[in-house]
Amino acid sequence: MSTDLPTAVDVLVVGGGPAGLSAATWLGRYQRSTLVVDAGQQRNLPADRAHGLLGRDPTTPQEFLAEARAGLAQYPEVVLHHGAVTALHRDEAGTFRATVDDAEVSAERIVLAPGVRDRLPELAGLHDHYGTDVHHCPACDGYTARDRVVIVLGSGEQVPAYAAELLDWADTVRVVTDSTGQAFDEDQRAVLADHGAEVVDGVAEALVGAPGALVGVQLTTGELVEGDKVFFSYAHHPANHLARDLGCELDHEGGILVDGFQLTSVDGVYAAGDITAGLQLVPIAIGKGAAAGVACATSLRGHPTNGTTPAPPTRWFTTR
């Protein structure tokens, strides 16, 4: 694996998280010249542990990424570049042109795996607690909250279901609306009450207690809502500006629509990971990335490859 920035590749992978690295691994195995551009904004980096990875449960996000990057070293066709793709378009000849930092790189195919960005609560002490006893993903970290008192922060329409999900593990769930107004309607409050979830109206101000020994959340009124763990649900924003520029079809939440081979509505552009619909878990991102990498690699059959890699075999293939 090289770190030198090439001027032309078969495939440009945007994003160096689980999906992007998985796609790059399979592109390397198919001997397709590949550039992975990693902006280093993986959403689970603050987490103490990444869970549910078969054979690596648990690991840290940093260990996982280090091992995945090290695995790419066996594929000389793959280049990993730490930087950002700031612009991406397709020229009249059908070649993709990307601005990577201040350089131009051309590619025959694109894999978009930029992930999403979470809206974080405005809460004193968040930086110290986030990833230890403050989390955003029940599926990822709910098991660590088993038999505990969990505080859920948020007031969106998704919060009642989000809070109820945590009852798979938690002994008690308390919802702090983090709002000065009426956060939920009576039906939503009735559902929460039926599940034994308490609703506390008020604005969260600060986390109380040391990291790993959380006492609760203090409201702006001075009231302390006691709890051992905090989960929050406000919003997450897909990093979809490049997909928009390319004309990829998006769903109502801004995620990129793909088919069973992770192909978007734009020929030659694939997408994988949290930027696509479905469960947002590391193992699933790895699987989607593998599917995108294999489909993207095989779509190049019968087409010349860039660099010193051998031309792929001409046999049954699709042009996309």
Side-chain angles (χ1 to χ4, degrees), residues 53-79:
L53 284 166
L54 191 64
R56 297 291 290 119
D57 187 9
T59 185
T60 70
Q62 291 78 10
E63 289 171 345
F64 168 80
L65 290 172
E67 291 179 5
R69 291 164 182 158
L72 288 179
Q74 63 189 298
Y75 305 114
E77 298 83 8
V78 178
V79 176

Side-chain angles (χ1 to χ4, degrees), residues 97-152:
R97 305 285 178 179
T99 302
V100 181
D101 297 334
D102 293 323
E104 182 177 282
V105 177
S106 66
E108 300 304 316
R109 301 288 189 273
I110 302 293
V111 176
L112 296 174
V116 302
R117 308 289 177 261
D118 291 293
R119 177 190 161 195
L120 303 180
E122 297 179 3
L123 202 59
L126 177 67
H127 177 74
D128 296 327
H129 287 267
Y130 190 26
T132 300
D133 39 30
V134 175
H135 312 279
H136 69 265
C137 175
C140 304
D141 296 292
Y143 186 77
T144 67
R146 60 195 185 279
D147 304 322
R148 311 288 286 276
V149 177
V150 171
I151 299 170
V152 172

Side-chain angles (χ1 to χ4, degrees), residues 170-197:
D171 177 74
T172 302
V173 171
R174 294 171 178 152
V175 180
V176 173
T177 60
D178 202 19
S179 171
T180 56
Q182 181 80 0
F184 309 118
D185 61 32
E186 294 305 318
D187 288 340
Q188 290 173 314
R189 288 174 181 257
V191 169
L192 287 167
D194 287 343
H195 285 86

Side-chain angles (χ1 to χ4, degrees), residues 86-262:
T86 55
L88 182 58
H89 72 279
R90 197 172 205 166
D91 65 20
E92 293 182 357
T95 299
F96 295 100
R97 305 285 178 179
T99 302
V100 181
D101 297 334
D102 293 323
E104 182 177 282
V105 177
S106 66
E108 300 304 316
R109 301 288 189 273
I110 302 293
V111 176
L112 296 174
V116 302
R117 308 289 177 261
D118 291 293
R119 177 190 161 195
L120 303 180
E122 297 179 3
L123 202 59
L126 177 67
H127 177 74
D128 296 327
H129 287 267
Y130 190 26
T132 300
D133 39 30
V134 175
H135 312 279
H136 69 265
C137 175
C140 304
D141 296 292
Y143 186 77
T144 67
R146 60 195 185 279
D147 304 322
R148 311 288 286 276
V149 177
V150 171
I151 299 170
V152 172
L153 297 179
S155 58
E157 62 181 12
Q158 80 284 357
V159 170
Y162 179 92
E165 182 179 356
L166 283 157
L167 288 167
D168 281 341
W169 303 279
D171 177 74
T172 302
V173 171
R174 294 171 178 152
V175 180
V176 173
T177 60
D178 202 19
S179 171
T180 56
Q182 181 80 0
F184 309 118
D185 61 32
E186 294 305 318
D187 288 340
Q188 290 173 314
R189 288 174 181 257
V191 169
L192 287 167
D194 287 343
H195 285 86
E198 177 187 356
V199 177
V200 180
D201 292 302
V203 178
E205 183 176 59
L207 296 165
V208 178
L214 188 71
V215 174
V217 173
Q218 181 178 309
L219 307 184
T220 53
T221 60
E223 177 186 355
L224 176 66
V225 180
E226 295 181 354
D228 308 303
K229 287 272 189 179
V230 170
F231 284 75
F232 63 87
S233 178
Y234 294 93
H236 58 256
H237 305 287
N240 61 16
H241 62 287
L242 296 176
R244 290 181 183 275
D245 291 345
L246 290 170
C248 296
E249 188 177 354
L250 307 177
D251 63 22
H252 68 284
E253 294 182 341
I256 304 174
L257 292 173
V258 294
D259 67 10
F261 297 98
Q262 304 301 128

